[in-house]
Amino acid sequence: MRTILKCGRVFTGTESTYRHDHALVIEDGRIVGLYPAASLPASGPDDVVVDYSRQLVMPGLSDLHTHLSYGNARSEEEVDLYPNLEYRAIRALAAAQRMLAAGFTSLLDPACAGLVTPSLRNALYVGMFQGPRITAAGQALTARQGLYDYYPSWIGCPPCSTGRLVTSLPEAIEAIRQQTKDGVDIIKIAMDGIQGGNSGGLYATFTQDETTAMIREAHRLGRRVAIHARGREGVLYAARAGADILYHASRIDDEGVRAAAGEGCTICPSLLMLVNNIQYAQPDDPSYDWWPNVQRQELAEATDNLRRAYDAGVPILSGSETGFSMTPYGEWATRELSILVRFLGMPADEVLRTATHRNRSLLRGGQEFDSIAPGKLADLLVFDGDPLADITQLEDRERITDVWLGGARVVLPDMPMDIPRHPCENAQGYWTRMYTRASTGHTPMQLP
């Protein structure tokens, strides 16, 4: 039995324009034909015909920066300490399904606690549940100057953290070997954090020799390497060492651009968090007095620096850093595509090719679902609009007609965007301000 989709327009993922009035033929989960409507072979009595003659059919979207175990967290403590790993794994399934419902048929999760996301990847792969195709890292590797070492040095990285603190090169190499044994697809390294220095930049977490050795070992074991780096030095060391993905790279300089281009690195800017926090942060957010201003400066620097990298031919990928309360699952991820057009000046057709084709080169088995073509898995997004004319249309969830995964139409439970939070997810915060006699007015006690 075949499934035939009559399409008003088709975006294959590898071409810059649409094909009009075509039909897709699907059998056993894969595309077996793409024909002009006039040339479509006659359907058989058992064939299922679906009419999308008024819609656009394109490959499902992919996102290379989705933290499925984070739970739309409002603080680092919620990311790393609350709740237990078992609850995070169950919650990650709901997060993955929200992303699938939003049109994302494949995801890369570059850091999680324990083996939450690799385990979810495996459960989805064998068909226990319906969800996107997942490429998964484990805990991100960090040292004292890197992201994920959030807590005081006398605490370090707790075992349930999304980061793993390594204090020597042999320990880092052992961590890479252990994660490879445990089945991760990609190794993530935090090359800087928030500690500043070096002419206004950020301290690199690892030296050049350490970085090179870590990436070389991961590549020897057949694992790609993703790097978190916002500062000049961390980006440069990672690029020289041939990292596969540079996340952010906001302060990449000309030397870093040359290294990235020469070593075949890619950059995934992940600017959504900056844009949303600048636009939407509220005065009662604990970070309101400082963080949006820091991010305004970073966005301005990233706009200039990443444009230079793009002009130099460094491939730009798309990933939204979904998983925080400012970037909740299934809500904002497509805005990252609009951001690449607006701030980096990328053409809409290239951005759409990135989200449907180019990203797949970094995903587990990505060549199997990287376009609409005979032999490819039928992972599809059916959309009522024209994103080549206006990429921001993709931000309108109401325009999504259907999502297909492996030749089957996705049917998911109707879940609210804002999942009710269980108390086990919340950090034990009590107050947001100091209650002094002056601030309270020192009124007489009025207790019940």
Side-chain angles (χ1 to χ4, degrees):
M1 183 182 73
R2 302 180 305 168
T3 301
I4 299 172
L5 308 185
K6 294 183 176 180
C7 312
R9 288 164 296 161
V10 174
F11 185 78
T12 64
T14 58
E15 300 170 322
S16 298
T17 58
Y18 303 129
R19 297 190 187 188
H20 293 269
D21 297 319
H22 273 58
L24 277 175
V25 181
I26 302 169
E27 191 170 5
D28 295 329
R30 292 184 182 269
I31 298 166
V32 296
L34 174 60
Y35 305 95
S39 304
L40 177 66
S43 59
D46 295 329
D47 291 342
V48 175
V49 180
V50 184
D51 186 6
Y52 292 133
S53 58
R54 295 181 179 274
Q55 280 83 34
L56 164 67
V57 178
M58 61 182 178
L61 301 172
S62 57
D63 190 284
L64 297 192
H65 199 168
T66 298
H67 292 291
L68 293 170
S69 71
Y70 283 19
N72 295 337
R74 297 167 296 188
S75 68
E76 295 303 338
E77 289 81 4
E78 288 185 14
V79 170
D80 292 321
L81 305 180
Y82 305 95
N84 58 40
L85 295 185
E86 294 81 357
Y87 187 85
R88 292 188 227 183
I90 297 169
R91 188 182 61 189
L93 172 60
Q97 290 183 337
R98 274 166 175 71
M99 292 297 288
L100 179 60
F104 289 88
T105 56
S106 56
L107 306 171
L108 192 159
D109 185 336
C112 72
L115 293 171
V116 166
T117 307
S119 299
L120 174 61
R121 174 203 65 198
N122 295 345
L124 296 178
Y125 179 79
V126 300
M128 288 185 186
F129 309 99
Q130 194 169 41
R133 305 182 194 279
I134 292 176
T135 300
Q139 291 176 300
L141 305 186
T142 187
R144 287 300 182 190
Q145 278 65 54
L147 203 69
Y148 300 99
D149 185 25
Y150 296 113
Y151 308 105
S153 58
W154 52 89
I155 295 176
C157 286
C160 56
S161 169
T162 53
R164 176 168 174 174
L165 181 66
V166 292
T167 58
S168 67
L169 180 57
E171 188 178 348
I173 297 298
E174 171 61 20
I176 291 169
R177 292 171 178 169
Q178 179 182 343
Q179 289 194 2
T180 301
K181 177 183 177 180
D182 289 340
V184 305
D185 300 305
I186 195 163
I187 302 294
K188 185 176 182 184
I189 301 172
M191 280 299 297
D192 56 30
I194 61 173
Q195 297 193 43
N198 300 339
S199 302
L202 297 169
Y203 292 124
T205 309
F206 300 100
T207 67
Q208 181 67 76
D209 288 345
E210 290 169 336
T211 306
T212 300
M214 293 165 68
I215 293 177
R216 181 185 296 123
E217 181 65 7
H219 284 169
R220 184 184 74 83
L221 296 173
R223 295 301 183 267
R224 293 190 173 100
V225 179
I227 299 290
H228 168 99
R230 297 183 184 274
R232 180 200 65 82
E233 187 178 65
V235 173
L236 177 60
Y237 291 174
R240 284 174 174 168
D244 299 281
I245 303 175
L246 302 173
Y247 283 118
H248 309 296
S250 302
R251 297 178 180 89
I252 190 171
D253 63 4
D254 290 339
E255 187 178 7
V257 168
R258 288 192 295 273
E263 294 296 333
C265 305
T266 64
I267 294 176
C268 186
S270 297
L271 297 173
L272 176 66
M273 174 77 79
L274 279 64
V275 170
N276 273 14
N277 207 40
I278 292 167
Q279 183 173 357
Y280 298 123
Q282 297 297 309
D284 60 350
D285 288 328
S287 63
Y288 179 80
D289 289 340
W290 61 274
W291 204 16
N293 290 329
V294 170
Q295 291 177 319
R296 284 188 185 91
Q297 180 62 35
E298 181 176 349
L299 181 60
E301 294 178 74
T303 298
D304 292 339
N305 296 333
L306 295 176
R307 278 179 178 169
R308 290 203 309 276
Y310 171 68
D311 290 341
V314 179
I316 302 296
L317 307 176
S318 62
S320 61
E321 202 165 10
T322 285
F324 296 90
S325 64
M326 190 58 82
T327 56
Y329 303 111
E331 186 74 358
W332 292 107
T334 49
R335 176 176 272 197
E336 182 72 23
L337 308 182
S338 303
I339 289 169
L340 294 178
V341 172
R342 176 174 175 179
F343 289 95
L344 270 63
M346 294 176 64
D349 67 283
E350 183 180 359
V351 170
L352 200 58
R353 290 199 308 275
T354 295
T356 57
H357 176 72
R358 179 186 287 171
N359 277 357
R360 262 57 169 206
S361 65
L362 278 301
L363 296 180
R364 178 189 179 105
Q367 71 280 359
E368 294 287 301
F369 48 91
D370 63 357
S371 61
I372 292 179
K376 303 293 185 179
L377 289 164
D379 295 355
L380 308 169
L381 172 60
V382 184
F383 190 75
D384 186 13
D386 184 359
L388 292 183
D390 181 4
I391 195 75
T392 65
Q393 288 183 3
L394 288 171
E395 298 179 38
D396 185 356
R397 287 283 305 277
E398 299 302 316
R399 290 180 178 270
I400 295 177
T401 302
D402 275 320
V403 179
W404 292 69
L405 188 68
R409 191 167 4 203
V410 170
V411 179
L412 295 170
D414 186 16
M415 298 176 288
M417 185 58 60
D418 188 8
I419 306 175
R421 297 178 66 87
H422 190 276
C424 72
E425 298 182 67
N426 300 326
Q428 189 109 347
Y430 292 119
W431 304 283
T432 59
R433 59 187 56 83
M434 182 75 72
Y435 291 91
T436 65
R437 286 178 293 176
S439 68
T440 62
H442 194 198
T443 57
M445 283 186 288
Q446 297 176 1
L447 301 179

